[in-house]
Amino acid sequence: MSGAKTKNAKTTDKVVKTEAEWRKELTPMQYAVLREKATERPFSGEYEYETRPGTYVCAGCGQTLFESDAKTTPRVEKSEAEWRKELTPMQYAVLREKATERPFTGEYEHDHRAGTYVCAGCGQTLFESDAKF
């Protein structure tokens, strides 16, 4: 995850570092997410089940990302049969079996329309299209 959990960390200036400095200061996963636009496997992040109160901050600059009370979303309870009926085979694999799509093969790979992308399972916003490109 690109965020780290600390208290009262905040900066407003753009951080300028060499790639060597970034690699030295960030974990391999943080570097991949922050510098190479990678993502974690679904449901695998170190903060997935974190419940302590606090502020999540960017590992690169310390800017506040969100408060822990904004992280919690209601759990969707459905049977596996209901999930299979509601989701496409790819959605089911990603959401229920923790699979990932092959890179550059998803149905939205070349979709450049403006909009909000949401989770197929719970409807929560994942990102805005302007953040995708």
Side-chain angles (χ1 to χ4, degrees):
M1 178 166 159
S2 63
K5 200 167 188 186
T6 64
K7 293 254 183 204
N8 301 323
K10 184 176 182 178
T11 65
T12 55
D13 298 327
K14 182 172 179 161
V15 178
V16 179
K17 297 179 184 179
T18 66
E19 291 306 308
E21 290 172 319
W22 284 116
R23 284 191 186 276
K24 183 177 179 183
E25 293 179 21
L26 300 172
T27 67
M29 178 54 76
Q30 289 171 334
Y31 183 86
V33 170
L34 289 171
R35 306 298 299 160
E36 298 173 334
K37 299 181 182 179
T39 57
E40 298 174 319
R41 287 179 52 88
F43 314 108
S44 68
E46 67 180 293
Y47 299 113
E48 176 70 20
Y49 299 104
E50 180 61 66
T51 59
R52 294 175 294 170
T55 302
Y56 287 78
V57 299
C58 175
C61 71
Q63 183 68 36
T64 298
L65 299 173
F66 58 90
E67 300 295 324
S68 60
D69 60 350
K71 179 177 180 269
T72 50
T73 57
R75 184 168 176 83
V76 179
E77 297 290 337
K78 296 181 182 179
S79 70
E80 290 305 306
E82 290 172 308
W83 282 116
R84 284 189 185 278
K85 183 178 179 183
E86 185 176 315
L87 303 172
T88 67
M90 178 55 74
Q91 289 171 337
Y92 183 84
V94 170
L95 289 171
R96 303 304 298 160
E97 297 172 343
K98 299 183 182 178
T100 57
E101 290 181 277
R102 287 185 46 233
F104 313 112
T105 62
E107 67 180 289
Y108 300 108
E109 174 63 24
H110 300 291
D111 186 350
H112 299 284
R113 291 176 292 168
T116 301
Y117 289 72
V118 297
C119 175
C122 67
Q124 292 292 316
T125 299
L126 299 173
F127 59 89
E128 299 294 324
S129 60
D130 59 347
K132 180 180 175 197
F133 306 105

